[in-house]
Amino acid sequence: MPYIGRFAPSPTGPLHAGSLVAAFASWLDARSHDGQWLVRIEDVDTPRCIASADQLILQQLAICGLVPDAPVMWQSQRSDAYQAALDNLIAKGWAYPCGCSRKEIEDAQALIGHARERHTAAVYPGTCRDGLNGKAARAWRLNVQRVIDDSKLDTPLAWHDRLLGPQQQDVATEVGDFVLRRADGLWAYQLAVVVDDAAQGITNIVRGEDLTDNTARQILLQHALGLPTPSYMHTPLVLGENGEKLSKQNGATALDVSQPLLALQNAAHALGLPKFSDGASIEQALSEWTKAWQEMSSPVPR
């Protein structure tokens, strides 16, 4: 099967050092396996998106020699595809409307002694699974246990990460019935990314380790929608001074591409790749790093 990989940034600002590492890793993996590398702008969360940030990101990538092999996809243009996927799940009895607010979910969990951990959402207790009980519908959720039972899937759901090795998650108990369409009418990340990966023919996903926790939900949705499951590889994160993931919310500054080789060298170092040859052009350095990546990375199933 031909390799197709992707980089899928959210246009909430320009690329920073951490996002270049993710972009570079996905590009290197595609190039080292003679595959295609695509870019998708994940702009469904419109309140967080910044005008023209998408074009700035594409410009930063191009300056660094990271140019997609096909036209860029924008999620904001794909609402019909997401609606069709949701309609599919509703027709199967695997999605239902939910009238709960975030506070109600957290309060319900607190009553049974489950405190929400930092940086995580409260596990949904299934309040509206059997009906709204007079509430107005706000969001749409996936009935996780019903999908697992009807599809005869193993629990916990297991997969193999090319870098991290065997992984597993009990989605029903660790996540609960997760959101497909939000209360504000916007499409949830999990549904959009699964539909778009299939539409773009993505076979291999290389992304930051912070997204590992999303993988089981996405594999579950792939099963529910009858879509193929790509190979996954999650790479180490670039950390801020406080030891947490480098991000715009964590003090990350815009990537300086006035010296693109230096920016790429820093990204390569974060990925454990050697320094490029002195005097090399961007093209030569990228070629050297591609060969080095091919030698050090796990083989891709073909």
Side-chain angles (χ1 to χ4, degrees), residues 42-151:
E42 298 198 332
D43 57 348
V44 286
D45 194 353
T46 50
R48 296 181 60 240
C49 296
I50 296 175
S52 301
D54 53 351
Q55 296 302 325
L56 177 55
I57 288 170
L58 296 174
Q59 182 182 41
Q60 290 175 301
L61 290 171
I63 290 173
C64 291
L66 310 183
V67 179
D69 298 313
V72 175
M73 175 183 282
W74 274 263
Q75 287 188 330
S76 57
Q77 300 172 4
R78 294 190 39 79
S79 182
D80 288 349
Y82 308 145
Q83 185 64 57
L86 178 58
D87 290 344
N88 181 326
L89 296 170
I90 294 171
K92 293 176 178 176
W94 291 348
Y96 62 89
C98 174
C100 299
S101 68
R102 184 176 300 177
K103 185 176 187 305
E104 287 173 326
I105 296 170
E106 292 180 358
D107 288 347
Q109 286 294 333
L111 283 175
I112 58 176
H114 293 171
R116 181 174 68 87
E117 295 182 10
R118 188 168 178 245
H119 299 319
T120 64
V123 175
Y124 183 65
T127 308
C128 298
R129 191 178 296 143
D130 297 317
L132 289 166
N133 298 315
K135 294 182 179 181
R138 293 165 51 85
W140 281 88
R141 293 181 178 273
L142 185 74
N143 190 325
V144 170
Q145 193 61 54
R146 183 168 294 176
V147 172
I148 291 172
D149 292 343
D150 291 352
S151 304

